[in-house]
Amino acid sequence: MTAKPLTTPADAIRFAKEAGVQVVDVRFTDLPGTWQHFSIPVAEMTESFFAEGIGFDGSSIRGFQAINESDMLLFPDPASAFVDPCLAIPTLSLTCDIGDPITGQRYTRDPRYVAQKAEAFLTKSGIADTVYFGPELKM
């Protein structure tokens, strides 16, 4: 039996409660494609957390913003939620989209956004209806 996919913030919150999650790890990738993340207490994971995003300093991320325009937002994707099996403390992992807090628009340098736009272009142009992206392994 497969689990029902999580599609809404309420689904992700319910999933976290049922799994006994104590910590939420919010993740995104920088311009070169390296995972960046930080953790928050599960009590901060509310529906407004998903809708309004969580702030972070974009100037500390390679290839993102200058110090004078460093405020950025992360918007967690409830469909990405999973309990990390490698951690001793039950931790929910959420992959995030990056947004501009002033314009409310998606951040053009967000690798996830670039991949989503590429997928949409391939589908719309009729080139392909499926696309696979994967990490480049660095040795």
Side-chain angles (χ1 to χ4, degrees), residues 30-85:
D30 62 17
L31 195 57
T34 303
W35 278 112
Q36 304 291 324
H37 69 106
F38 58 92
S39 299
I40 61 171
V42 72
E44 292 183 27
M45 190 176 80
T46 62
E47 291 203 28
S48 66
F49 165 73
F50 288 87
E52 298 169 13
I54 185 169
F56 76 102
D57 177 7
S59 69
S60 64
I61 307 300
R62 292 180 299 166
F64 274 23
Q65 298 291 90
I67 191 72
N68 62 323
E69 53 188 7
S70 62
D71 293 340
M72 301 186 80
L73 293 172
L74 293 175
F75 293 94
D77 176 2
S80 70
F82 71 94
V83 175
D84 192 324

